[in-house]
Amino acid sequence: MNILLTSVGRRSYLVDYFLEAVLDTDQIHCCNSEYTTSVARGDGYFLSPLIYSPDYVDSIIRYCKERDITAVLSLFDIDLLVLSKNEQKFKNNGIELILAPYESVYLCNDKWKTFEFLKEVGLKTPRTYLSVGDALQAIESSELEYPLVIKPRWGMASMGLYFADNENELKVLFEKSKKDVFSSYLKYESELTKESSIIIQEKLIGAEYGVDVVNTLDSEYFETLAKQKVTMRAGE
């Protein structure tokens, strides 16, 4: 199996993991919208259009067909929505996306939808609000208290993430987070919910754990890996 890793960025260590894991007869190819040392570490690479370019998906499919690549895996959250939306197009060209279905990707990338889903299935989740007014009303009714977390609804890598200890900070940092969003690559997905692009959440204090659920390519459960987060850098 030859695999294409998309949006590799500067994640050379992830490219190396794949190179070490595959058989000698397999190849790992990379693509990115700009040249980095990571993109050239694989067995082949190309520079792709930007993720939201009209030719982005077609450029990946063309490269895969030229190099006998049968599977595509993204290393970047922003990539997932675009790729999963075109899953059938990849299948029609004999290419498998190692990726969740579009509906699941959308639900996980949209933090408000995630909050609603967790409530619906009965899992505890931080209280979450879409506006400063709603958060202030919750504070007034003693449903919520400072400090509060302010972050992009479609965020990643800790971009636009702030903590507010009072009403003045809440109002200022809410607008600051919005400005951060629409002056970065987060603006593309945030356009889907432009009028409610920032969320406010209660801050939970305690040990933080990450849980990875691993499935087979046939969507069958395989394993769960849990780990305590010791430190975070740019969301990793």
Side-chain angles (χ1 to χ4, degrees):
M1 176 184 283
N2 296 332
I3 299 175
L4 174 66
L5 304 178
T6 67
S7 299
V8 295
R10 297 178 179 84
R11 303 170 191 83
S12 56
Y13 61 96
L14 288 179
V15 179
D16 290 342
Y17 289 159
F18 276 91
L19 290 170
E20 292 170 11
V22 298
L23 302 173
D24 292 337
T25 53
D26 299 331
Q27 291 188 346
I28 299 297
H29 292 249
C30 303
C31 79
N32 201 53
S33 60
E34 60 182 29
Y35 183 83
T36 64
T37 55
S38 304
V39 82
R41 293 178 88 95
D43 297 298
Y45 76 90
F46 81 103
L47 300 184
S48 71
L50 293 173
I51 292 171
Y52 282 91
S53 165
D55 193 42
Y56 179 63
V57 169
D58 288 339
S59 73
I60 292 175
I61 291 175
R62 282 197 301 270
Y63 184 85
C64 288
K65 294 179 77 170
E66 290 169 359
R67 305 301 178 95
D68 295 321
I69 292 170
T70 55
V72 171
L73 174 68
S74 175
L75 301 186
F76 188 42
D77 290 358
I78 301 298
D79 217 4
L80 305 183
L81 208 61
V82 174
L83 293 179
S84 61
K85 199 171 187 177
N86 290 275
E87 182 178 14
Q88 192 58 51
K89 195 170 186 177
F90 281 96
K91 284 185 177 179
N92 292 343
N93 285 276
I95 304 164
E96 182 166 21
L97 282 181
I98 304 176
L99 184 62
Y102 175 76
E103 294 76 13
S104 299
V105 172
Y106 192 102
L107 189 151
C108 291
N109 278 19
D110 183 341
K111 293 177 173 57
W112 176 256
K113 291 293 184 186
T114 304
F115 164 70
E116 291 187 317
F117 173 76
L118 293 175
K119 283 204 308 179
E120 183 181 327
V121 298
L123 291 175
K124 292 183 178 180
T125 183
R127 292 183 177 88
T128 304
Y129 307 86
L130 284 176
S131 71
V132 171
D134 288 345
L136 290 175
Q137 188 174 346
I139 290 172
E140 189 175 336
S141 64
S142 300
E143 178 184 298
L144 186 67
E145 61 182 28
Y146 296 105
L148 300 177
V149 181
I150 301 165
K151 60 187 177 184
R153 178 172 173 171
W154 298 85
M156 60 170 293
S158 299
M159 294 176 62
L161 174 66
Y162 299 103
F163 299 98
D165 291 317
N166 54 57
E167 182 175 335
N168 183 56
E169 289 184 359
L170 173 61
K171 292 177 178 178
V172 171
L173 295 176
F174 186 87
E175 294 302 319
K176 178 71 168 66
S177 183
K178 190 184 299 184
K179 184 177 180 181
D180 291 347
V181 164
F182 289 101
S183 60
S184 73
Y185 56 75
L186 297 180
K187 65 184 177 184
Y188 296 107
E189 285 186 326
S190 297
E191 285 286 346
L192 297 171
T193 55
K194 190 171 183 178
E195 301 307 314
S196 54
S197 57
I198 307 299
I199 62 172
I200 301 166
Q201 293 183 313
E202 64 175 325
K203 184 179 181 180
L204 301 183
I205 308 297
E208 185 176 351
Y209 293 84
V211 180
D212 299 317
V213 180
V214 183
N215 293 335
T216 68
L217 295 182
D218 296 320
S219 300
E220 296 177 352
Y221 172 76
F222 180 73
E223 183 66 279
T224 299
L225 307 170
K227 55 193 177 293
Q228 183 175 353
K229 294 183 180 180
V230 177
T231 186
M232 293 279 285
R233 180 179 178 273
E236 294 186 357

Coordinates of all heavy atoms in Angstrom, one line a residue, residues 27 41 82 103 121 128 149 203 215:
Q27 N 5.3 2.7 0.0 CA 5.9 4.0 -0.1 C 5.0 5.0 0.7 O 3.8 4.9 0.7 CB 6.0 4.5 -1.5 CG 7.0 3.7 -2.3 CD 7.2 4.3 -3.7 OE1 6.4 5.1 -4.2 NE2 8.3 3.9 -4.4
R41 N 10.7 14.4 3.2 CA 11.2 13.3 3.9 C 10.7 12.0 3.3 O 11.3 10.9 3.6 CB 10.9 13.4 5.4 CG 11.6 14.5 6.1 CD 11.3 14.5 7.5 NE 12.1 13.7 8.4 CZ 13.2 14.1 9.0 NH1 13.6 15.3 8.9 NH2 13.9 13.3 9.7
V82 N -12.8 19.2 4.3 CA -12.7 19.2 2.8 C -12.6 17.8 2.2 O -13.3 17.4 1.3 CB -11.6 20.1 2.3 CG1 -11.4 20.1 0.8 CG2 -11.8 21.6 2.8
E103 N -20.1 13.5 8.4 CA -21.0 13.9 9.5 C -20.2 13.9 10.8 O -20.4 14.8 11.7 CB -22.2 13.0 9.6 CG -23.1 13.1 8.4 CD -22.6 12.4 7.1 OE1 -21.7 11.6 7.3 OE2 -23.2 12.6 6.1
V121 N -26.4 12.6 24.4 CA -26.1 11.2 24.7 C -25.9 11.0 26.2 O -25.6 9.9 26.7 CB -24.9 10.6 23.9 CG1 -25.3 10.7 22.4 CG2 -23.7 11.4 24.2
T128 N -21.6 25.5 28.0 CA -21.1 26.2 26.9 C -22.1 27.2 26.3 O -23.3 26.9 26.3 CB -20.8 25.2 25.8 OG1 -19.8 24.2 26.3 CG2 -20.1 25.9 24.5
V149 N -13.6 30.1 29.9 CA -12.7 29.8 28.7 C -13.4 30.4 27.5 O -14.6 30.2 27.3 CB -12.5 28.3 28.5 CG1 -11.6 28.0 27.3 CG2 -12.0 27.7 29.8
K203 N -14.6 26.8 33.0 CA -13.3 26.2 33.1 C -13.3 25.1 34.1 O -13.6 25.3 35.3 CB -12.2 27.3 33.5 CG -10.8 26.8 33.5 CD -9.8 27.9 33.9 CE -8.4 27.3 33.9 NZ -7.4 28.4 34.3
N215 N -10.1 2.4 15.3 CA -10.9 1.5 14.5 C -10.1 1.0 13.3 O -9.1 1.5 12.9 CB -12.2 2.2 14.0 CG -13.1 2.7 15.1 OD1 -13.1 2.1 16.2 ND2 -13.9 3.7 14.8

